[in-house]
Amino acid sequence: MVVTKATLYFNRYRLKDDKLSLQLDTCTQVGGDNADFLAGEIHQSFTKKGQKQYCSFAADSAVFAQIKAGEDMQQIADNVAERMLEGLTPETLPAETILVIAHYQHLATQYILATMLGVKESVQLSEAINPQRSQYLDIANISLALQIDLSELSINPDSPRSIGYIKGRVGRKIGDFMAEAFAIEEKMNAKDATQKLVESVEKFIEDNSTDNEKSQAIRDVSVEAMKMAAQSGEFMQVKNLSQEIEEKTGIAGFYDSAAQADDFSEECPVYASATKGMQKFFGQGGGMSISFDRELLGEKVEFDAQAQTLTFNKIPPNLLDALKKALKAN
């Protein structure tokens, strides 16, 4: 099991007479195998959410002060619960919301992950095959969550990768909510960082490769490396990507090329969807949505830059079938 030493803290936000409160004065605590399993599920769900903002603690952060002072995790969990409550409103709180704060180790890294999970109902069968109503935490749809990398924080308190939260909307800008609740400062956005890395790859191709096959090979290696980093939740190391490109395509020098950018960073978080442009051409507007693999350009798809038109020499069978049926109908 990759998640170990987990302790989970639970509380419930409730709405009564248009006023929000916590059900318990102090969070309940759960440990053991069940905690390890649940922490692993939450960690995995958080990792899969690609659109994240990365931050560091502000100097006046009460949560950071508790961590530095080595306070008991129960005290930290209760403080986090209160601070998140202050940022919520009756309009933004789901009907049933459970606060889960997980303190755990994933591989060799220590984390704290705070999230609000919805509760869903289901039906399960007893051993006598009798249907029974049950409730479960909606971990798959995790949306409001923040993860603190305690190991990174202990080495470099100002690290831009020590805190990450899922970008989204909970009534108002999620960044405002997180900044107020935890006193954090934004440092790096996964989508923006990935787009800059993609631009570096495309510039490297433009400067070093005139062969379409080699160019696509560089793109393929880059996309695969970025997707693996995104799936594992790790930051993409530019030196490692440069080595992979050289090993698999024979073209060296990507690191030196990327390092020339004014806002160059040795590593960056990865938002996998932002790599789509290295694999496909796509666009939509005027009632059309078009997408095709880059390698098809010049073969099955021709572009006339002067006339600004695309010519498809072959179209997908299902589209061809639909067009034929439309002709017959007319």
Side-chain angles (χ1 to χ4, degrees), residues 87-100:
L88 291 170
T89 65
E91 293 75 26
T92 60
L93 185 71
E96 181 74 12
T97 303
I98 302 296
L99 171 67
V100 183

Side-chain angles (χ1 to χ4, degrees), residues 22-66:
L22 285 162
Q23 179 177 329
L24 306 173
D25 293 333
T26 184
C27 298
T28 59
Q29 182 183 136
V30 176
D33 291 343
N34 287 338
D36 287 346
F37 173 77
L38 184 55
E41 292 293 299
I42 295 173
H43 178 88
Q44 184 179 31
S45 184
F46 178 86
T47 300
K48 288 180 179 179
K49 299 293 182 179
Q51 180 63 304
K52 297 190 184 79
Q53 182 76 42
Y54 289 85
C55 314
S56 62
F57 279 115
D60 60 349
S61 170
V63 176
F64 185 35
Q66 286 184 295

Side-chain angles (χ1 to χ4, degrees), residues 146-179:
L146 179 143
Q147 185 186 63
I148 303 170
D149 185 333
L150 295 174
S151 300
E152 179 72 17
L153 194 64
S154 66
I155 298 170
N156 180 11
D158 296 323
S159 170
R161 60 180 294 177
S162 58
I163 304 169
Y165 67 81
I166 299 170
K167 287 184 67 67
R169 297 194 66 84
V170 183
R172 62 191 175 109
K173 186 181 177 185
I174 198 79
D176 294 342
F177 175 84
M178 288 299 184

Side-chain angles (χ1 to χ4, degrees), residues 153-213:
L153 194 64
S154 66
I155 298 170
N156 180 11
D158 296 323
S159 170
R161 60 180 294 177
S162 58
I163 304 169
Y165 67 81
I166 299 170
K167 287 184 67 67
R169 297 194 66 84
V170 183
R172 62 191 175 109
K173 186 181 177 185
I174 198 79
D176 294 342
F177 175 84
M178 288 299 184
E180 292 171 13
F182 291 88
I184 56 178
E185 299 173 341
E186 295 185 355
K187 296 289 185 179
M188 193 181 299
N189 178 274
K191 183 177 181 180
D192 293 342
T194 306
Q195 288 174 337
K196 289 175 183 176
L197 186 56
V198 168
E199 289 170 6
S200 295
V201 172
E202 291 297 338
K203 185 178 184 303
F204 177 67
I205 291 172
E206 183 181 338
D207 294 342
N208 295 274
S209 177
T210 56
D211 180 271
N212 287 338
E213 190 172 327

Side-chain angles (χ1 to χ4, degrees), residues 263-281:
D263 52 356
F264 171 71
S265 176
E266 294 279 351
E267 60 180 11
C268 73
V270 177
Y271 181 49
S273 296
T275 66
K276 183 180 177 181
M278 286 199 290
Q279 298 175 297
K280 295 178 178 292
F281 291 107

Side-chain angles (χ1 to χ4, degrees), residues 315-330:
I315 59 176
N318 55 348
L319 176 58
L320 180 62
D321 184 54
L323 291 171
K324 288 180 177 178
K325 287 180 180 179
L327 285 175
K328 288 180 180 179
N330 293 334

Side-chain angles (χ1 to χ4, degrees), residues 31 33 92 148 226 238-239 245 268 282 296 302 328:
D33 291 343
T92 60
I148 303 170
M226 291 184 205
V238 180
K239 279 189 177 178
I245 290 173
C268 73
F282 58 92
L296 298 181
E302 297 177 9
K328 288 180 180 179

